[in-house]
Amino acid sequence: MLRAIVVVVLAAVAATPACKGSESALPAGEVGGGEPSRVPLVPKDHALYARFEGTAFENACSDDAACSKGGCSSEVCASGDQPPGTCDVPEVQIPAAANCGCVAGECVWWSDGSLTLAAAAEKPTPAEQAGPRCGDVTCAAGETCIEYYGIAGPRGPKFQTCGIPCPHGKCADGKKCITIADGPGPVCQ
């Protein structure tokens, strides 16, 4: 009986890949070990491609461990630990059964080919892309109105400015997270 258990365990170990996700760096559609083919989910011409695939980030990978989901809606698939997003809910959602992983050396959303992604609505005109009102100004698309107190703290006046907060120290689009003392705090610039 013990010999039979050892044989079963050895057979299971032999059938297990040496490294989890090791097949993931193969080109799309070429996955070994009997796993389903990895088909990129988001077409490059999709209106939300840059957002979903985190094109502002370095996305090179050699296996799934290098890729992670990020953004407030977990809509971004990119290399690194929890890539930031814009913290609004996109009109198109990544299907729950989709995977964020390494395909052809790049972190992307993928499926076995059975999932589809809905088309995004037409891009709004620049007037519709404007951000929220912030005092007497309208913030640009992607910016929020940041309220803060100056050096006097809450005893002084409250200030408002348009910007992109970066509480986790990460910014998209090649911007850097800097801290403005006695100002809005950590913001992308």
Side-chain angles (χ1 to χ4, degrees):
M1 169 116 171
L2 182 57
R3 183 177 171 162
I5 292 173
V6 171
V7 171
V8 170
V9 170
L10 289 176
V13 170
T16 304
C19 177
K20 182 179 180 185
S22 61
E23 295 88 9
S24 61
L26 295 172
E30 293 183 26
V31 178
E35 289 188 22
S37 180
R38 292 185 175 204
V39 178
L41 178 70
V42 184
K44 291 189 185 245
D45 62 348
H46 193 279
L48 297 174
Y49 177 81
R51 177 178 182 167
F52 289 150
E53 301 300 1
T55 59
F57 306 104
E58 176 60 43
N59 277 337
C61 59
S62 59
D63 61 29
D64 289 345
C67 304
S68 61
K69 298 175 189 177
C72 294
S73 302
S74 293
E75 78 279 9
V76 180
C77 177
S79 181
D81 185 37
Q82 302 231 341
T86 59
C87 288
D88 63 327
V89 178
E91 70 270 13
V92 176
Q93 299 291 312
I94 296 291
N99 298 289
C100 174
C102 192
V103 176
E106 187 177 12
C107 292
V108 297
W109 287 105
W110 66 272
S111 77
D112 62 3
S114 64
L115 300 176
T116 59
L117 186 65
E122 288 292 316
K123 290 195 175 208
T125 63
E128 294 170 328
Q129 288 181 349
R133 291 287 298 164
C134 191
D136 295 334
V137 298
T138 300
C139 297
E143 293 183 334
T144 61
C145 185
I146 303 170
E147 296 181 339
Y148 62 96
Y149 294 100
I151 193 166
R155 292 185 309 265
K158 184 186 277 188
F159 298 101
Q160 296 176 323
T161 188
C162 294
I164 301 172
C166 56
H168 302 293
K170 296 182 181 179
C171 297
D173 299 330
K175 295 182 180 184
K176 291 185 179 184
C177 184
I178 63 165
T179 299
I180 300 177
D182 299 327
V187 292
C188 298
Q189 288 193 343

